[in-house]
Amino acid sequence: MEETNSVTAGALAEERFFAGMPEPHRAALAAIAVVVAAPAGHRFFEEGDQAQRFWLLRSGKVALDLQVPGRGAVVVETLPASSMLGWSWLFPPHRWRFGAVAAAPVTAFRFDGRGVRELCAADLRLGHDLLLRFGAVMLDRLEATRVRMLDLYAHPEELR
Amino acid sequence: MTPATAHGPMAPVPYRVTDRHAETADTVTLALEPVEAAVPEPVPGQFTMMYVFGIGEAPISVSRVGPFRAVRGSRPARGRGPVLEQTVRAVGAVTRAVCGTRPGRVVGLRGPFGTGWGLDEARGCDLVLAAGGIGLAPLRPVVLRALSDRSAFGRISVLIGARTPDDLLFTSELDTWRAKGAQVEVTVDRPTPGWAGHVGLITALAGSVEVDPARAAAFICGPEVMMRLTAEALIGLGMCPADIRLSLERNMHCGLGWCGHCQLGPLLLCRDGPVLPYERAVPLMTVREL
Ligand SMILES: Cc1cc2nc3c(=O)[nH]c(=O)nc-3n(C[C@H](O)[C@H](O)[C@H](O)COP(=O)(O)OP(=O)(O)OC[C@H]3O[C@@H](n4cnc5c(N)ncnc54)[C@H](O)[C@@H]3O)c2cc1C
Ligand code: FES
């Protein structure tokens, strides 16, 4: 993975995830972020590994997968540009529950999870704000998962 | 006066099947040319009542109006109207019979019925077209019309959701749509080995759409839950609910606003729909057993 320049509070302001966040909070987060580029096929993390980072995807696509015996790495969901990748860094025991691999060349802002946890502990307002933003992402993904369970496109005969 | 009007709007107009293309295991596109007189030219989003003689009738959207291109290079129409394409998923007696219809056979068409998408009102805007499953059929004429008049619209995004890669419609056209300047994103619920596209609900694609929410129109067609959530995702991007239209389906019989089969609250969907503004559609969609 290629790491390039550092990130500014202004660059974060352009991302929907950070919309409306106070500038000092964005600046604090930007200070522990870097811009990264990864080729297709790059593995961001493996299920079970230590989770100490997260990424805001700016372009490309990342596949979340799970190793299924006999079937290999099965893709459960893909994340397009503008998505947040990774929340296991936020919750103990800080281990990835799924794997993640670039399904197309990716550019992203990468954040140091331990650093962000320290920022949140030192500034509870930042922590509260960030948790709400991650909560909204998790709600969207939970809703999407539940709706996929409805199998909306099934043939009517299969649903009888 | 066409024979259709001469014999009243309940009389089907004969159309010959000139070509048949199996899109998926259960979905077929038929190219239909008028045997003699034609039904009036449909606008994108309208449907016909398609009659398989001896079996019955079903409302089916028009998925292409000639002279764009008939499936797999069929001959130009010899009748008095353009070739129509209609894309049908076999789910019951009528649609199974439609899908089984071979070139040379004659079916009956009445119509066209319904409001259409109102594409002309969206001129100058970015277009977001979101289709789930067979819902791509009524949106295909919008894509083709907008791409053939490219400068009349801003960015054109086509979001497509399907159950599996094998259930995708019009796959041979998607690259042409891209080449002509549309952003086409496809997602499936269940990937098959080798699938390199998106996996997940169509709502996840909304976030990556390139659109100016203040100058955009969205047309959505698919299962009702999919339409509602996609519309909400677009509103989350800043789109105005008044700029979002959905296509609702109910059982239909006359297509003419006479019989009441298609009633949804105060509306008769064959006449007042199937395309409705989001704000009008959603309160009706969320009422149980309406
Ligand atoms: C305005 C409009 C446009 C349509 N456009 C198309 C199209 O372009 N292509 C296409 O394949 N179909 C389209 N449909 C749906 C199509 O009309 C129905 O699938 C058809 O009427 C079913 O008739 P049938 O006799 O084959 O099956 P039926 O025996 O009537 O029904 C078979 C099964 O399908 C279910 N079903 C029937 N109608 C619907 C429906 N509208 N929505 C969801 N489930 C249904 C029934 O509950 C049953 O389980 C459209 C419907 C409307 C109202
Ligand atoms: S189908 Fe008869 S009123 Fe609509």
Side-chain angles (χ1 to χ4, degrees):
Chain A
M1 177 168 337
E2 193 186 314
E3 278 182 37
T4 49
N5 51 321
S6 55
V7 181
T8 62
L12 294 191
E14 285 167 22
E15 301 294 333
R16 203 169 324 109
F17 181 86
F18 291 104
M21 181 180 268
E23 203 272 345
H25 289 176
R26 271 188 285 114
L29 290 166
I32 49 171
V34 287
V35 178
V36 295
H42 169 80
R43 185 159 279 283
F44 288 87
F45 48 83
E46 195 90 60
E47 178 191 349
D49 285 355
Q50 277 285 327
Q52 298 297 4
R53 290 171 165 175
F54 63 97
W55 294 258
L56 179 61
L57 307 183
R58 304 178 72 204
S59 65
K61 178 170 64 181
V62 171
L64 297 179
D65 58 14
L66 207 54
Q67 294 295 332
V68 180
R71 291 169 64 190
V74 176
V75 175
V76 291
E77 189 169 12
T78 54
L79 305 178
S82 297
S83 302
M84 190 53 93
L85 167 64
W87 54 58
S88 298
W89 60 274
L90 189 50
F91 304 101
H94 308 303
R95 291 200 176 275
W96 297 115
R97 311 285 178 106
F98 291 88
V101 65
V106 165
T107 59
F109 292 134
R110 189 186 72 201
F111 297 84
D112 166 29
R114 196 182 317 229
V116 174
R117 287 203 305 269
E118 283 166 12
L119 279 179
C120 293
D123 182 343
L124 293 183
R125 288 173 57 140
L126 168 58
H128 178 251
D129 183 351
L130 204 62
L131 266 182
L132 282 180
R133 288 167 198 269
F134 271 95
V137 171
M138 293 160 90
L139 264 182
D140 279 349
R141 303 250 175 101
L142 176 62
E143 179 181 76
T145 305
R146 286 176 170 166
V147 172
R148 281 172 68 191
M149 287 172 72
L150 291 176
D151 203 3
L152 291 175
Y153 306 124
H155 195 280
E157 269 166 20
E158 282 185 63
L159 299 175
R160 280 192 199 119
Chain B
M1 184 182 284
T2 67
T5 50
H7 295 102
M10 288 301 284
V13 179
Y15 269 70
R16 180 166 287 106
V17 176
T18 57
D19 216 330
R20 178 184 182 279
H21 174 66
E23 302 281 349
T24 70
D26 62 14
T27 302
V28 162
T29 295
L30 298 180
L32 303 158
E33 75 175 24
V35 173
E36 278 199 14
V39 298
E41 187 164 326
V43 298
Q46 283 193 304
F47 66 95
T48 69
M49 292 301 292
M50 191 188 275
Y51 188 44
V52 182
F53 297 107
I55 310 277
E57 232 181 3
I60 303 294
S61 306
V62 175
S63 65
R64 181 173 218 150
V65 178
F68 294 114
R69 182 197 69 109
V71 268
R72 293 199 295 182
S74 60
R75 295 165 289 114
R78 284 167 303 167
R80 279 187 242 155
V83 170
L84 303 185
E85 290 183 24
Q86 300 199 261
T87 303
V88 187
R89 187 182 194 199
V91 296
V94 175
T95 46
R96 259 199 298 273
V98 173
C99 288
T101 304
R102 300 284 150 181
R105 292 277 304 275
V106 171
V107 297
L109 299 186
R110 293 192 298 115
F113 300 119
T115 44
W117 292 104
L119 181 60
D120 285 341
E121 293 159 38
R123 288 174 83 84
C125 296
D126 289 345
L127 287 181
V128 182
L129 312 173
I134 188 75
L136 187 55
L139 282 168
R140 184 186 186 216
V142 176
V143 180
L144 298 174
R145 178 73 59 87
L147 290 178
S148 72
D149 193 6
R150 190 67 194 83
S151 58
F153 300 93
R155 287 163 291 199
I156 301 174
S157 306
V158 187
L159 309 182
I160 300 170
R163 193 187 203 199
T164 73
D166 295 337
D167 295 309
L168 289 165
L169 306 179
F170 314 127
T171 44
S172 61
E173 288 175 30
L174 302 185
D175 280 339
T176 311
W177 297 357
R178 290 186 181 103
K180 289 186 172 173
Q183 178 192 0
V184 181
E185 302 288 347
V186 181
T187 187
V188 298
D189 280 343
R190 304 180 190 181
T192 44
W195 171 249
H198 294 282
V199 178
L201 201 63
I202 194 167
T203 48
L205 297 181
S208 58
V209 157
E210 289 165 18
V211 67
D212 173 3
R215 277 183 69 78
F219 303 155
I220 310 176
C221 189
E224 290 192 5
V225 173
M226 167 265 166
M227 289 197 285
R228 191 158 45 82
L229 297 179
T230 306
E232 284 166 13
L234 294 174
I235 292 167
L237 292 184
M239 271 195 74
C240 174
D243 296 327
I244 300 176
R245 293 180 188 176
L246 319 177
S247 181
L248 293 193
E249 290 187 4
R250 288 295 181 275
N251 279 341
M252 292 193 180
H253 186 59
C254 69
L256 292 155
W258 293 350
C259 71
H261 265 72
C262 64
Q263 186 174 357
L264 183 65
L267 306 177
L268 293 174
L269 282 182
C270 68
R271 184 192 63 194
D272 307 320
V275 178
L276 294 175
Y278 168 84
E279 281 161 319
R280 209 157 178 218
V282 162
L284 300 171
M285 284 158 73
T286 45
V287 175
R288 274 205 271 167
E289 306 294 336
L290 195 67

